[in-house]
Amino acid sequence: MQQKIIILDFGSQTTQLIGRRVRELNMYCEILPYNKFPADDPSVIGVILSGSPFSVYDEKAFRTDLAAIRGRYPVLGICYGAQFMSYMLGGSVEPANSREYGRAILEHVDGTDPLMNGVEPGSQVWMSHGDTITSLPEGFKIIASTDKVPVAAYRGADNEQLWGVQFHPEVYHSKCGTQILRNFVVDICGGKQDWSAASFIESTVAELRQQLGDDKVVLGLSGGVDSSVAAVLLNRAIGKNLTCIFVDHGMLRKDEFKNVLADYECLGLNVIGVDASEKFFSELAGVTDPEKKRKIIGRGFIEVFDEEAHKLTDVKWLGQGTIYPDCIESLSITGTTIKSHHNVGGLPEKMNLKLCEPLRLLFKDEVRAVGRELGMPEHLITRHPFPGPGLAVRILGDITPEKVHILQEADHIFIQGLRDHGLYDQVWQAGVILLPVQSVGVMGDERTYERAVALRAVTSTDAMTADWAHLPYDFLAEVSNKIINSVKGVNRVTYDISSKPPATIEWE
Ligand code: XMP
């Protein structure tokens, strides 16, 4: 049985990070809303309580039933989690005299406590709290302090398997954070560290076979990492009972439809490639409003997918490449609906299909590791994110096949240039935007009056925030020259130096 650490989410922004750090220790974990602790799950070996935007004494503060956890599993409370346990068990928590955010140094450390094993005094930790524990429940013991926070870490009374840390061990700036999480997960909870891409594939393939039996599954491929890995995994489990549909809406990158289709075929996938570009071009003709463009493409995609899927017989399931962060965002706190970020959102109801989401418990870097383990080519795995509506949201104003062609050529030069200069993997995402302006230029002896494009490249970790990539000037100059000299219709290249926020990554 796969051992499991449960992380109860009280709404902190770093809850997902706790999950990632535990997974980095090769331990499987699940993040659940604070009030959804699973009763009688024999695979649970320990529980972590996350931070929270609330104070423990707020009326609206999230509370969990500690009796369901205490004494049954080792528990580690982080920030609010630590304050909550202390408060509920008779200690006091008060607003701190000075709120503490950022670096702090552990001055006193009880190295004999198993949680603090190997943590040296002088270790840097990361604090982010407005409240502080001013007195602990009876018998509880301080096991670490900073100069400002006497109770930086504590242990329950009579060596109970209960710990709290005021700082955030999951944050990379907490230098001893990994050691503390390892001490908890491995030494205290007895984690076997048996979670790996290979073990995930083995158990998921077995579960999928059990879940799906001889049922048929249809899956929409986008060329992106998530849907591709989901398809290859499903293919391993059920082979020809999986049919994939890859729709070309005419707004993909240069040669992408052809190349990605060839990749999919090499991987042994049963793929139907549908060139629906004419339908999309005619529906988009004359439309300039960004949201209308998105809606037309989203609806058109569903229509094409639905029509193709109906040609198949007996399909019962819709496969999707939903990943963990997609689920947690909406699961967090309310524990209700999981929002679909995928282009086929709305399809399961329309087609009366059941959903199969084999990657729903994986973080993005784990999806990539699984893809590698499944033998997928590196260029499919490290591919930049690309918006579902494709180049349509990178052509400002109305869309014509001619504009798409110009943009595909310019985009190809930029992306190939990034690859040739070893810069592709250093940026999160890059592309070119075709601007709705013309400007005067001179080429040879001729005056020109042609289009301007903007290059966009950003660094990011999750696309929620992003900075413009500080690409070398010489590289930008080379790309600009190449585009102006070889893409007919473009005589000016600019570089977008806006961060998100306040700008967004895409221009539309
Ligand atoms: P923004 O422009 O909001 O983009 O900063 C954040 C990330 O989302 C991608 N994006 C989309 N993806 N359908 C998608 O599938 C869309 O309509 C869409 N709009 C933006 C964008 O490429 C970036 O990675």
Side-chain angles (χ1 to χ4, degrees):
M1 191 187 311
Q2 177 83 60
Q3 295 178 322
K4 190 191 289 179
I5 297 282
I6 295 290
I7 299 160
L8 285 184
D9 181 15
F10 290 83
S12 162
Q13 291 187 342
T14 58
T15 305
Q16 271 203 46
L17 199 51
I18 304 174
R20 289 188 52 165
R21 303 304 304 268
V22 172
R23 295 266 183 102
E24 279 166 17
L25 292 165
N26 290 24
M27 266 309 301
Y28 180 64
C29 61
E30 281 179 17
I31 298 172
L32 298 174
Y34 67 96
N35 54 357
K36 295 269 153 76
F37 189 78
D40 301 323
D41 179 345
S43 56
V44 177
I45 59 165
V47 183
I48 297 177
L49 311 185
S50 84
S52 172
F54 289 108
S55 290
V56 287
Y57 41 76
D58 278 348
E59 249 176 52
K60 286 197 208 130
F62 299 135
R63 300 198 164 87
T64 198
D65 177 16
L66 278 178
I69 304 168
R70 245 184 110 194
R72 297 178 64 198
Y73 312 99
V75 193
L76 172 65
I78 293 177
C79 197
Y80 174 94
Q83 294 167 1
F84 173 73
M85 289 196 293
S86 171
Y87 183 73
M88 295 304 283
L89 302 174
S92 26
V93 174
E94 293 170 41
N97 287 337
S98 59
R99 287 163 167 258
E100 202 176 11
Y101 295 98
R103 269 179 204 83
I105 301 295
L106 294 182
E107 286 191 341
H108 150 80
V109 176
D110 178 356
T112 62
D113 186 273
L115 190 72
M116 290 294 148
N117 185 18
V119 177
E120 301 289 334
S123 294
Q124 175 180 303
V125 292
W126 199 259
M127 294 282 188
S128 175
H129 61 110
D131 292 339
T132 199
I133 299 170
T134 44
S135 74
L136 282 170
E138 208 179 315
F140 277 42
K141 190 168 74 167
I142 292 175
I143 55 172
S145 321
T146 72
D147 61 342
K148 291 208 188 74
V149 180
V151 189
Y154 66 75
R155 170 82 189 262
D158 303 321
N159 286 337
E160 182 182 346
Q161 299 279 86
L162 183 144
W163 288 263
V165 289
Q166 179 59 72
F167 51 89
H168 288 271
E170 71 278 19
V171 170
Y172 290 90
H173 302 285
S174 285
K175 302 284 184 223
C176 52
T178 305
Q179 178 71 32
I180 290 175
L181 288 174
R182 196 196 159 282
N183 287 344
F184 180 70
V185 163
V186 180
D187 297 342
I188 294 172
C189 299
K192 291 198 207 108
Q193 298 181 284
D194 54 0
W195 167 257
S196 65
S199 72
F200 168 81
I201 294 169
E202 195 186 316
S203 60
T204 307
V205 164
E207 280 163 27
L208 286 171
R209 286 187 181 144
Q210 174 114 41
Q211 178 186 29
L212 301 171
D214 279 333
D215 288 356
K216 295 208 170 117
V217 180
V218 64
L219 178 143
L221 287 168
S222 67
V225 188
D226 304 344
S227 65
S228 304
V229 173
V232 175
L233 191 59
L234 271 160
N235 184 51
R236 182 165 291 192
I238 60 166
K240 294 295 171 210
N241 275 344
L242 170 71
T243 305
C244 303
I245 297 176
F246 182 29
V247 178
D248 182 4
H249 51 34
M251 257 55 61
L252 296 173
R253 292 194 140 114
K254 184 181 177 183
D255 294 333
E256 186 163 26
F257 185 61
K258 192 176 77 190
N259 293 342
V260 174
L261 206 53
D263 279 337
Y264 286 147
E265 279 161 3
C266 274
L267 285 165
L269 295 181
N270 178 16
V271 197
I272 301 171
V274 189
D275 178 358
S277 44
E278 273 185 25
K279 169 187 165 74
F280 286 89
F281 279 125
S282 75
E283 288 178 10
L284 285 166
V287 180
T288 54
D289 179 73
E291 279 315 300
K292 275 199 189 131
K293 288 190 207 172
R294 272 202 170 76
K295 288 219 172 81
I296 290 172
I297 295 178
R299 195 186 57 222
F301 189 91
I302 290 181
E303 284 164 10
V304 175
F305 188 90
D306 194 26
E307 191 184 322
E308 287 304 316
H310 267 101
K311 294 181 190 161
L312 310 168
T313 46
D314 269 353
V315 174
K316 294 222 169 62
W317 299 81
L318 177 73
Q320 276 196 332
T322 318
I323 68 170
Y324 207 28
D326 303 340
C327 305
I328 304 173
E329 263 171 45
S330 46
L331 252 181
S332 173
I333 304 311
T334 55
T336 51
T337 38
I338 293 171
K339 76 181 154 198
S340 172
H341 288 231
H342 289 262
N343 297 320
V344 285
L347 262 183
E349 302 83 26
K350 183 170 162 54
M351 298 175 69
N352 200 16
L353 294 175
K354 290 185 270 187
L355 258 188
C356 173
E357 298 175 309
L359 308 179
R360 72 189 177 287
L361 296 173
L362 298 192
F363 291 104
K364 191 86 177 181
D365 46 347
E366 294 172 326
V367 172
R368 294 205 165 101
V370 166
R372 288 195 181 96
E373 187 72 31
L374 286 164
M376 293 172 63
E378 200 58 24
H379 64 266
L380 259 188
I381 287 170
T382 53
R383 178 174 285 253
H384 288 167
F386 187 66
L391 301 181
V393 291
R394 294 185 182 167
I395 295 174
L396 274 56
D398 70 321
I399 293 162
T400 62
E402 182 226 349
K403 287 183 187 173
V404 171
H405 177 72
I406 292 176
L407 186 52
Q408 281 177 333
E409 294 300 321
D411 178 81
H412 179 67
I413 290 169
F414 187 30
I415 299 297
Q416 196 54 46
L418 287 167
R419 288 196 187 279
D420 293 345
H421 286 76
L423 296 166
Y424 184 86
D425 292 332
Q426 290 178 31
V427 302
W428 165 266
Q429 191 170 358
V432 179
I433 292 93
L434 187 66
L435 305 181
V437 287
Q438 283 174 283
S439 75
V440 174
V442 54
M443 272 188 176
D445 291 334
E446 302 240 339
R447 174 189 186 275
T448 58
Y449 186 57
E450 291 177 336
R451 295 176 190 285
V453 296
L455 309 181
R456 179 76 162 139
V458 296
T459 53
S460 178
T461 47
D462 52 13
M464 302 293 284
T465 60
D467 194 9
W468 59 279
H470 294 218
L471 295 174
Y473 285 173
D474 288 348
F475 168 73
L476 291 171
E478 187 185 309
V479 171
S480 165
N481 272 340
K482 260 196 183 159
I483 291 178
I484 293 175
N485 287 330
S486 58
V487 183
K488 224 170 153 267
V490 176
N491 70 351
R492 196 172 292 273
V493 174
T494 64
Y495 190 50
D496 180 353
I497 52 167
S498 331
S499 60
K500 172 185 179 177
T504 49
I505 295 176
E506 306 293 346
W507 279 42
E508 280 199 339

